[in-house]
Amino acid sequence: MAKIALLFAMIFLPAVVFASVPDAVQPLAPVSKELKKQLLGTPVYLQIFKEERTLELYGKIGNEYRLLDSYRICNFSGGLGPKRRQGDFKSPEGFYSVGLSQLKPDSRFYRAINVGFPNEYDRQQGYEGKYLMIHGNCVSVGCYAMTDAYMDEIYHYVEAALRNGQQRVDVSIYPFRMTESNMQRHRYSSYFSFWKELQPGYAQFVQTKQPPSVSVNGGKYVLSRPMMNGTGAPDSALALTQTK
């Protein structure tokens, strides 16, 4: 009987492992300071993790986005979960993008980047709010507040990328690093089904080092380009998440 159980495990374990989004390795170290300076004007990508109070700035090197620097979020409000209503003091979660018109060099909170809330997903959910920013001054009533020094650098790289030809800078905002262990830790949250929609985007960047291409279909986030596994076939875990 033990041999049968072992054989069964050997057959089905690879499928189980493949069907999950694995825990990421330790975050990679940023590029050298010298290389970082040289990359001013390259296309950039931002990731925000609420629970870790971290904003990550990535720059494009060749065909991949590499970590340029990681910044401690000075303040955000409302805890985990998406923003839904004006005045709920929540900081948004989801997939956003930034153009030149969303940069505010003369903000009363030093400098500011409007993340673009509400996006298409938010509007389909009936969520309301405006002026949700990444800004300086370390004070938040629904925004992601940084120290002025950190905000100056983040703003500088985003502006340089946009003025150098990048049409939009993607900003992915997650409640936490969306590994399987973290998802299991939060599995009883009322936001869990929403977070399952965000997880494929996180997983796609971990695997491809490319910002996730996300659209909204039927009031849900879906990957526009399914992530591929080593065989060239769509990853079943992400396909399953997309169709739920």
Side-chain angles (χ1 to χ4, degrees):
M1 189 68 180
K3 290 182 178 179
I4 295 175
L6 178 60
L7 179 60
F8 184 88
M10 291 175 64
I11 293 172
F12 289 100
L13 182 58
V16 173
V17 172
F18 180 74
S20 67
V21 180
D23 282 9
V25 296
Q26 289 295 319
L28 296 176
V31 300
S32 69
K33 292 182 180 180
E34 292 75 17
L35 180 56
K36 178 182 170 182
K37 290 178 182 178
Q38 295 172 22
L39 291 171
L40 182 65
T42 194
V44 296
Y45 168 56
L46 301 180
Q47 284 192 137
I48 290 175
F49 300 100
K50 277 185 177 179
E51 193 171 61
E52 292 85 352
R53 300 179 72 95
T54 298
L55 183 151
E56 294 178 341
L57 171 67
Y58 290 83
K60 192 173 186 181
I61 303 176
N63 293 322
E64 294 186 349
Y65 281 76
R66 296 270 304 279
L67 183 64
L68 301 186
D69 220 327
S70 181
Y71 307 88
R72 174 78 172 172
I73 295 172
C74 191
N75 212 342
F76 72 91
S77 59
L80 303 186
K83 182 174 183 63
R84 291 173 170 170
R85 300 181 304 279
Q86 179 76 17
D88 65 4
F89 302 107
K90 296 278 282 187
S91 300
E93 295 173 9
F95 300 104
Y96 299 89
S97 70
V98 171
L100 267 173
S101 65
Q102 291 162 253
L103 304 187
K104 310 295 179 185
D106 56 350
S107 168
R108 63 191 181 99
F109 297 106
Y110 186 56
R111 301 189 194 280
I113 299 171
N114 189 327
V115 301
F117 180 94
N119 63 13
E120 179 61 27
Y121 173 90
D122 301 320
R123 289 191 291 271
Q124 289 191 21
Q125 302 301 317
Y127 297 166
E128 297 178 344
K130 56 184 178 180
Y131 309 132
L132 277 301
M133 308 278 185
I134 304 167
H135 62 61
N137 207 28
C138 201
V139 177
S140 173
V141 287
C143 299
Y144 290 97
M146 316 298 294
T147 65
D148 287 356
Y150 283 170
M151 190 63 217
D152 195 51
E153 186 165 278
I154 296 162
Y155 186 97
H156 197 38
Y157 274 83
V158 171
E159 181 183 42
L162 291 170
R163 293 197 183 281
N164 204 38
Q166 185 174 1
Q167 292 187 351
R168 309 283 300 180
V169 171
D170 290 326
V171 183
S172 299
I173 307 177
Y174 301 110
F176 41 79
R177 295 189 189 275
M178 310 207 74
T179 63
E180 280 301 306
S181 60
N182 280 341
M183 291 296 287
Q184 284 302 306
R185 186 163 54 88
H186 290 281
R187 64 187 179 278
Y188 298 119
S189 170
S190 59
Y191 304 122
F192 186 75
S193 60
F194 168 68
W195 291 339
K196 289 292 287 184
E197 295 177 36
L198 303 186
Q199 191 184 28
Y202 170 84
Q204 186 177 67
F205 184 70
V206 168
Q207 178 168 318
T208 68
K209 302 299 186 291
Q210 295 287 330
S213 179
V214 179
S215 60
V216 180
N217 187 359
K220 293 181 180 296
Y221 283 121
V222 295
L223 289 180
S224 300
R225 295 193 303 270
M227 188 166 69
M228 299 295 176
N229 60 35
T231 67
D235 188 313
S236 60
L238 297 179
L240 176 62
T241 305
Q242 287 176 276
T243 56
K244 283 186 177 179

PDB file of all heavy atoms in Angstrom, residues 121-141:
ATOM      1  N   TYR A 121     -10.945  48.921 -13.918  1.00  0.00           N
ATOM      2  CA  TYR A 121     -11.467  47.946 -12.962  1.00  0.00           C
ATOM      3  C   TYR A 121     -12.260  48.657 -11.859  1.00  0.00           C
ATOM      4  O   TYR A 121     -13.374  48.256 -11.530  1.00  0.00           O
ATOM      5  CB  TYR A 121     -10.324  47.150 -12.342  1.00  0.00           C
ATOM      6  CG  TYR A 121     -10.761  46.235 -11.214  1.00  0.00           C
ATOM      7  CD1 TYR A 121     -11.162  44.926 -11.465  1.00  0.00           C
ATOM      8  CD2 TYR A 121     -10.802  46.690  -9.895  1.00  0.00           C
ATOM      9  CE1 TYR A 121     -11.587  44.099 -10.441  1.00  0.00           C
ATOM     10  CE2 TYR A 121     -11.226  45.866  -8.862  1.00  0.00           C
ATOM     11  CZ  TYR A 121     -11.617  44.577  -9.146  1.00  0.00           C
ATOM     12  OH  TYR A 121     -12.054  43.763  -8.121  1.00  0.00           O
ATOM     13  N   ASP A 122     -11.682  49.703 -11.295  1.00  0.00           N
ATOM     14  CA  ASP A 122     -12.339  50.431 -10.213  1.00  0.00           C
ATOM     15  C   ASP A 122     -13.684  50.993 -10.660  1.00  0.00           C
ATOM     16  O   ASP A 122     -14.678  50.924  -9.926  1.00  0.00           O
ATOM     17  CB  ASP A 122     -11.445  51.566  -9.716  1.00  0.00           C
ATOM     18  CG  ASP A 122     -10.094  51.084  -9.209  1.00  0.00           C
ATOM     19  OD1 ASP A 122     -10.063  50.037  -8.545  1.00  0.00           O
ATOM     20  OD2 ASP A 122      -9.088  51.762  -9.482  1.00  0.00           O
ATOM     21  N   ARG A 123     -13.715  51.549 -11.864  1.00  0.00           N
ATOM     22  CA  ARG A 123     -14.967  52.119 -12.367  1.00  0.00           C
ATOM     23  C   ARG A 123     -16.030  51.048 -12.550  1.00  0.00           C
ATOM     24  O   ARG A 123     -17.210  51.272 -12.232  1.00  0.00           O
ATOM     25  CB  ARG A 123     -14.717  52.859 -13.681  1.00  0.00           C
ATOM     26  CG  ARG A 123     -13.941  54.164 -13.505  1.00  0.00           C
ATOM     27  CD  ARG A 123     -13.943  54.992 -14.775  1.00  0.00           C
ATOM     28  NE  ARG A 123     -13.161  54.370 -15.826  1.00  0.00           N
ATOM     29  CZ  ARG A 123     -11.851  54.566 -16.009  1.00  0.00           C
ATOM     30  NH1 ARG A 123     -11.190  55.371 -15.187  1.00  0.00           N
ATOM     31  NH2 ARG A 123     -11.212  53.973 -16.990  1.00  0.00           N
ATOM     32  N   GLN A 124     -15.620  49.871 -13.045  1.00  0.00           N
ATOM     33  CA  GLN A 124     -16.603  48.791 -13.214  1.00  0.00           C
ATOM     34  C   GLN A 124     -17.141  48.288 -11.877  1.00  0.00           C
ATOM     35  O   GLN A 124     -18.256  47.774 -11.806  1.00  0.00           O
ATOM     36  CB  GLN A 124     -15.991  47.638 -14.014  1.00  0.00           C
ATOM     37  CG  GLN A 124     -15.769  47.964 -15.481  1.00  0.00           C
ATOM     38  CD  GLN A 124     -15.409  46.750 -16.322  1.00  0.00           C
ATOM     39  OE1 GLN A 124     -15.683  45.608 -15.950  1.00  0.00           O
ATOM     40  NE2 GLN A 124     -14.795  46.994 -17.487  1.00  0.00           N
ATOM     41  N   GLN A 125     -16.347  48.437 -10.823  1.00  0.00           N
ATOM     42  CA  GLN A 125     -16.799  48.044  -9.487  1.00  0.00           C
ATOM     43  C   GLN A 125     -17.630  49.145  -8.814  1.00  0.00           C
ATOM     44  O   GLN A 125     -18.186  48.919  -7.753  1.00  0.00           O
ATOM     45  CB  GLN A 125     -15.588  47.729  -8.592  1.00  0.00           C
ATOM     46  CG  GLN A 125     -14.679  46.636  -9.102  1.00  0.00           C
ATOM     47  CD  GLN A 125     -15.389  45.308  -9.293  1.00  0.00           C
ATOM     48  OE1 GLN A 125     -16.183  44.904  -8.455  1.00  0.00           O
ATOM     49  NE2 GLN A 125     -15.118  44.643 -10.397  1.00  0.00           N
ATOM     50  N   GLY A 126     -17.673  50.316  -9.416  1.00  0.00           N
ATOM     51  CA  GLY A 126     -18.373  51.435  -8.807  1.00  0.00           C
ATOM     52  C   GLY A 126     -17.566  52.147  -7.736  1.00  0.00           C
ATOM     53  O   GLY A 126     -18.113  52.908  -6.933  1.00  0.00           O
ATOM     54  N   TYR A 127     -16.238  51.930  -7.724  1.00  0.00           N
ATOM     55  CA  TYR A 127     -15.379  52.580  -6.730  1.00  0.00           C
ATOM     56  C   TYR A 127     -15.189  54.052  -7.100  1.00  0.00           C
ATOM     57  O   TYR A 127     -15.144  54.409  -8.284  1.00  0.00           O
ATOM     58  CB  TYR A 127     -14.014  51.904  -6.657  1.00  0.00           C
ATOM     59  CG  TYR A 127     -14.055  50.462  -6.197  1.00  0.00           C
ATOM     60  CD1 TYR A 127     -12.937  49.641  -6.349  1.00  0.00           C
ATOM     61  CD2 TYR A 127     -15.195  49.905  -5.612  1.00  0.00           C
ATOM     62  CE1 TYR A 127     -12.951  48.315  -5.937  1.00  0.00           C
ATOM     63  CE2 TYR A 127     -15.217  48.592  -5.197  1.00  0.00           C
ATOM     64  CZ  TYR A 127     -14.095  47.792  -5.365  1.00  0.00           C
ATOM     65  OH  TYR A 127     -14.102  46.487  -4.949  1.00  0.00           O
ATOM     66  N   GLU A 128     -15.071  54.883  -6.091  1.00  0.00           N
ATOM     67  CA  GLU A 128     -14.949  56.318  -6.314  1.00  0.00           C
ATOM     68  C   GLU A 128     -13.792  56.896  -5.507  1.00  0.00           C
ATOM     69  O   GLU A 128     -13.469  56.410  -4.427  1.00  0.00           O
ATOM     70  CB  GLU A 128     -16.245  57.029  -5.909  1.00  0.00           C
ATOM     71  CG  GLU A 128     -17.453  56.622  -6.730  1.00  0.00           C
ATOM     72  CD  GLU A 128     -18.713  57.312  -6.275  1.00  0.00           C
ATOM     73  OE1 GLU A 128     -18.720  57.865  -5.145  1.00  0.00           O
ATOM     74  OE2 GLU A 128     -19.695  57.313  -7.039  1.00  0.00           O
ATOM     75  N   GLY A 129     -13.195  57.940  -6.044  1.00  0.00           N
ATOM     76  CA  GLY A 129     -12.100  58.623  -5.372  1.00  0.00           C
ATOM     77  C   GLY A 129     -11.291  59.389  -6.400  1.00  0.00           C
ATOM     78  O   GLY A 129     -11.462  59.215  -7.612  1.00  0.00           O
ATOM     79  N   LYS A 130     -10.426  60.270  -5.942  1.00  0.00           N
ATOM     80  CA  LYS A 130      -9.592  61.040  -6.856  1.00  0.00           C
ATOM     81  C   LYS A 130      -8.361  61.532  -6.108  1.00  0.00           C
ATOM     82  O   LYS A 130      -8.304  61.529  -4.871  1.00  0.00           O
ATOM     83  CB  LYS A 130     -10.357  62.219  -7.450  1.00  0.00           C
ATOM     84  CG  LYS A 130     -10.956  63.168  -6.430  1.00  0.00           C
ATOM     85  CD  LYS A 130     -11.785  64.256  -7.098  1.00  0.00           C
ATOM     86  CE  LYS A 130     -12.429  65.179  -6.077  1.00  0.00           C
ATOM     87  NZ  LYS A 130     -13.232  66.232  -6.727  1.00  0.00           N
ATOM     88  N   TYR A 131      -7.371  61.910  -6.914  1.00  0.00           N
ATOM     89  CA  TYR A 131      -6.126  62.468  -6.393  1.00  0.00           C
ATOM     90  C   TYR A 131      -5.399  61.483  -5.477  1.00  0.00           C
ATOM     91  O   TYR A 131      -4.893  61.849  -4.420  1.00  0.00           O
ATOM     92  CB  TYR A 131      -6.368  63.781  -5.656  1.00  0.00           C
ATOM     93  CG  TYR A 131      -7.165  64.786  -6.444  1.00  0.00           C
ATOM     94  CD1 TYR A 131      -8.242  65.461  -5.878  1.00  0.00           C
ATOM     95  CD2 TYR A 131      -6.841  65.065  -7.786  1.00  0.00           C
ATOM     96  CE1 TYR A 131      -8.977  66.379  -6.608  1.00  0.00           C
ATOM     97  CE2 TYR A 131      -7.575  65.977  -8.518  1.00  0.00           C
ATOM     98  CZ  TYR A 131      -8.640  66.625  -7.927  1.00  0.00           C
ATOM     99  OH  TYR A 131      -9.376  67.534  -8.666  1.00  0.00           O
ATOM    100  N   LEU A 132      -5.374  60.213  -5.891  1.00  0.00           N
ATOM    101  CA  LEU A 132      -4.615  59.209  -5.138  1.00  0.00           C
ATOM    102  C   LEU A 132      -3.189  59.216  -5.671  1.00  0.00           C
ATOM    103  O   LEU A 132      -2.941  58.920  -6.840  1.00  0.00           O
ATOM    104  CB  LEU A 132      -5.249  57.829  -5.282  1.00  0.00           C
ATOM    105  CG  LEU A 132      -6.431  57.526  -4.337  1.00  0.00           C
ATOM    106  CD1 LEU A 132      -6.012  57.644  -2.885  1.00  0.00           C
ATOM    107  CD2 LEU A 132      -7.629  58.410  -4.604  1.00  0.00           C
ATOM    108  N   MET A 133      -2.255  59.552  -4.817  1.00  0.00           N
ATOM    109  CA  MET A 133      -0.908  59.889  -5.244  1.00  0.00           C
ATOM    110  C   MET A 133       0.155  59.040  -4.561  1.00  0.00           C
ATOM    111  O   MET A 133      -0.059  58.465  -3.495  1.00  0.00           O
ATOM    112  CB  MET A 133      -0.614  61.364  -4.888  1.00  0.00           C
ATOM    113  CG  MET A 133      -1.644  62.358  -5.371  1.00  0.00           C
ATOM    114  SD  MET A 133      -1.375  62.789  -7.093  1.00  0.00           S
ATOM    115  CE  MET A 133      -2.637  64.061  -7.306  1.00  0.00           C
ATOM    116  N   ILE A 134       1.315  59.026  -5.200  1.00  0.00           N
ATOM    117  CA  ILE A 134       2.588  58.760  -4.525  1.00  0.00           C
ATOM    118  C   ILE A 134       3.215  60.135  -4.358  1.00  0.00           C
ATOM    119  O   ILE A 134       3.408  60.853  -5.350  1.00  0.00           O
ATOM    120  CB  ILE A 134       3.504  57.856  -5.371  1.00  0.00           C
ATOM    121  CG1 ILE A 134       2.809  56.540  -5.730  1.00  0.00           C
ATOM    122  CG2 ILE A 134       4.808  57.578  -4.639  1.00  0.00           C
ATOM    123  CD1 ILE A 134       3.525  55.752  -6.822  1.00  0.00           C
ATOM    124  N   HIS A 135       3.478  60.562  -3.144  1.00  0.00           N
ATOM    125  CA  HIS A 135       3.967  61.925  -2.950  1.00  0.00           C
ATOM    126  C   HIS A 135       4.920  61.991  -1.761  1.00  0.00           C
ATOM    127  O   HIS A 135       5.131  61.018  -1.044  1.00  0.00           O
ATOM    128  CB  HIS A 135       2.805  62.913  -2.781  1.00  0.00           C
ATOM    129  CG  HIS A 135       1.916  62.667  -1.596  1.00  0.00           C
ATOM    130  ND1 HIS A 135       2.349  62.703  -0.285  1.00  0.00           N
ATOM    131  CD2 HIS A 135       0.582  62.383  -1.522  1.00  0.00           C
ATOM    132  CE1 HIS A 135       1.342  62.479   0.531  1.00  0.00           C
ATOM    133  NE2 HIS A 135       0.260  62.264  -0.194  1.00  0.00           N
ATOM    134  N   GLY A 136       5.486  63.171  -1.551  1.00  0.00           N
ATOM    135  CA  GLY A 136       6.395  63.392  -0.437  1.00  0.00           C
ATOM    136  C   GLY A 136       5.670  63.846   0.816  1.00  0.00           C
ATOM    137  O   GLY A 136       4.478  63.645   0.976  1.00  0.00           O
ATOM    138  N   ASN A 137       6.426  64.419   1.722  1.00  0.00           N
ATOM    139  CA  ASN A 137       5.906  65.037   2.940  1.00  0.00           C
ATOM    140  C   ASN A 137       5.489  64.051   4.022  1.00  0.00           C
ATOM    141  O   ASN A 137       5.058  64.445   5.092  1.00  0.00           O
ATOM    142  CB  ASN A 137       4.739  65.980   2.619  1.00  0.00           C
ATOM    143  CG  ASN A 137       4.584  67.097   3.628  1.00  0.00           C
ATOM    144  OD1 ASN A 137       5.553  67.508   4.258  1.00  0.00           O
ATOM    145  ND2 ASN A 137       3.372  67.586   3.779  1.00  0.00           N
ATOM    146  N   CYS A 138       5.569  62.742   3.727  1.00  0.00           N
ATOM    147  CA  CYS A 138       5.388  61.708   4.759  1.00  0.00           C
ATOM    148  C   CYS A 138       4.042  61.767   5.465  1.00  0.00           C
ATOM    149  O   CYS A 138       3.914  61.358   6.619  1.00  0.00           O
ATOM    150  CB  CYS A 138       6.528  61.809   5.789  1.00  0.00           C
ATOM    151  SG  CYS A 138       6.789  60.298   6.738  1.00  0.00           S
ATOM    152  N   VAL A 139       2.991  62.258   4.798  1.00  0.00           N
ATOM    153  CA  VAL A 139       1.647  62.342   5.383  1.00  0.00           C
ATOM    154  C   VAL A 139       0.660  61.717   4.413  1.00  0.00           C
ATOM    155  O   VAL A 139       0.681  62.029   3.223  1.00  0.00           O
ATOM    156  CB  VAL A 139       1.243  63.805   5.658  1.00  0.00           C
ATOM    157  CG1 VAL A 139      -0.173  63.877   6.192  1.00  0.00           C
ATOM    158  CG2 VAL A 139       2.215  64.460   6.630  1.00  0.00           C
ATOM    159  N   SER A 140      -0.221  60.823   4.900  1.00  0.00           N
ATOM    160  CA  SER A 140      -1.137  60.118   4.006  1.00  0.00           C
ATOM    161  C   SER A 140      -2.561  60.136   4.519  1.00  0.00           C
ATOM    162  O   SER A 140      -2.822  59.902   5.692  1.00  0.00           O
ATOM    163  CB  SER A 140      -0.695  58.652   3.837  1.00  0.00           C
ATOM    164  OG  SER A 140      -1.663  57.926   3.108  1.00  0.00           O
ATOM    165  N   VAL A 141      -3.504  60.435   3.585  1.00  0.00           N
ATOM    166  CA  VAL A 141      -4.933  60.236   3.848  1.00  0.00           C
ATOM    167  C   VAL A 141      -5.519  59.424   2.692  1.00  0.00           C
ATOM    168  O   VAL A 141      -6.580  59.711   2.176  1.00  0.00           O
ATOM    169  CB  VAL A 141      -5.678  61.580   4.004  1.00  0.00           C
ATOM    170  CG1 VAL A 141      -5.341  62.227   5.322  1.00  0.00           C
ATOM    171  CG2 VAL A 141      -5.364  62.529   2.846  1.00  0.00           C
TER     172      VAL A 141
END
